[in-house]
Amino acid sequence: KNTLIILWTAIFQKLLFSHVNSFWEQPHGFNAEGISQIEISSDSTIPAAEPDEAPFSEQSESNYKISLSEKNPEHNKILFTPGILRLGTAIKTLYFIISYFRCLNEFKTSLPLKNEFTENWLKNHLIKRKISVRQSDKISSPLTYGIFRPVILLPKQTFPKDEKRLNFIFLHEYIHIRRFDALLKLICVAALCLHWFNPAVWLMYIFFNRDIELSCDETTVKKSGLSEKA
């Protein structure tokens, strides 16, 4: 599973950096009048008219370009206009921003979890960023949020005295924090907003979130021992 995360990262790089400029350029394939076009290289020449034919006109030039595009199906693709792409990207970005800050406001109502086991665990797992542990009644499973000030958020029903269970939970979320998975998820969302029209990217978003959790589970099992896999 750790290998899959590396592969996902390569896909994000491809989506974000290789094609980002294409979303804001004039789509290739059709001009303003809807006529299919291709670029003619410098060594290409338009055939000269025969003596008994009329001089080469704009209409015949257009027909010639269309005939060339028919030989190159790649230039016949109908793409979204830049306006539609920008609008879709703006809507998806606004949706995720609103959802993100709505969740943050809910998480602010959480209470800090303070007990001897939690404090000792945090002292034994120090990183440059300060980690805090809190509890909330608005979530059903543990999660981590925050990049510079990461927070491990536990459901209120998590039993604080179950130290073995807490150790597995803390270790799983600690791996998320060490790997900057919160930042990686934001990058995934950015790729989704840019490529909102591509169903494959939506599937990527679902599978990535699944694999990133399985990857942390895998590392947790390795650190805890195979005997604790169940």
Side-chain angles (χ1 to χ4, degrees):
K1 297 302 178 181
N2 294 332
T3 305
L4 288 178
I5 303 305
I6 298 175
L7 297 177
W8 283 126
T9 304
I11 293 177
F12 295 151
Q13 181 180 7
K14 177 71 173 178
L15 289 174
L16 291 177
F17 300 107
S18 297
H19 297 290
V20 66
N21 293 330
S22 65
F23 294 118
W24 314 108
E25 296 176 352
Q26 177 73 18
H28 299 292
F30 290 85
N31 63 8
E33 290 77 21
I35 300 176
S36 179
Q37 294 182 339
I38 69 166
E39 295 182 359
I40 302 177
S41 59
S42 58
D43 58 347
S44 300
T45 58
I46 298 177
E50 296 295 333
D52 56 344
E53 293 180 346
F56 197 79
S57 63
E58 293 182 0
Q59 181 64 31
S60 59
E61 180 180 0
S62 176
N63 293 336
Y64 180 68
K65 291 181 178 180
I66 292 176
S67 65
L68 285 176
S69 65
E70 290 174 351
K71 297 179 182 179
N72 297 272
E74 180 182 354
H75 296 278
N76 288 330
K77 295 179 180 178
I78 301 177
L79 303 180
F80 290 98
T81 63
I84 294 178
L85 288 175
R86 295 189 188 104
L87 179 62
T89 298
I91 291 174
K92 294 307 300 180
T93 302
L94 184 62
Y95 169 79
F96 280 109
I97 289 176
I98 293 175
S99 299
Y100 183 79
F101 282 102
R102 181 179 297 174
C103 289
L104 285 182
N105 289 332
E106 291 183 353
F107 296 160
K108 287 180 180 179
T109 62
S110 62
L111 299 176
L113 177 62
K114 294 183 179 180
N115 54 53
E116 185 178 356
F117 174 80
T118 300
E119 293 178 358
N120 290 334
W121 196 95
L122 291 175
K123 289 179 181 179
N124 294 328
H125 297 79
L126 293 176
I127 58 175
K128 292 182 178 180
R129 294 168 291 159
K130 183 180 179 180
I131 302 175
S132 58
V133 181
R134 304 178 71 87
Q135 276 189 307
S136 173
D137 57 354
K138 297 184 178 181
I139 62 172
S140 58
S141 61
L143 59 86
T144 297
Y145 69 93
I147 298 174
F148 302 106
R149 295 180 180 179
V151 176
I152 297 176
L153 191 61
L154 304 177
K156 190 175 182 179
Q157 61 269 25
T158 302
F159 190 54
K161 294 183 179 180
D162 190 351
E163 296 182 356
K164 186 175 183 179
R165 183 183 181 189
L166 277 177
N167 181 65
F168 293 143
I169 293 174
F170 287 163
L171 184 56
H172 177 99
E173 301 303 332
Y174 177 75
I175 294 168
H176 276 308
I177 295 172
R178 287 289 302 269
R179 294 179 176 178
F180 287 90
D181 284 346
L183 177 60
L184 195 57
K185 287 184 177 183
L186 289 179
I187 294 175
C188 179
V189 168
L192 180 63
C193 291
L194 286 174
H195 297 264
W196 58 267
F197 54 87
N198 189 342
V201 179
W202 286 92
L203 290 176
M204 177 203 75
Y205 178 75
I206 296 173
F207 292 146
F208 165 74
N209 281 283
R210 178 202 63 181
D211 290 340
I212 203 171
E213 295 299 328
L214 294 176
S215 174
C216 285
D217 286 343
E218 181 182 57
T219 304
T220 301
V221 170
K222 288 181 179 179
K223 291 183 176 295
S224 302
L226 292 177
S227 60
E228 303 292 343
K229 183 175 181 180

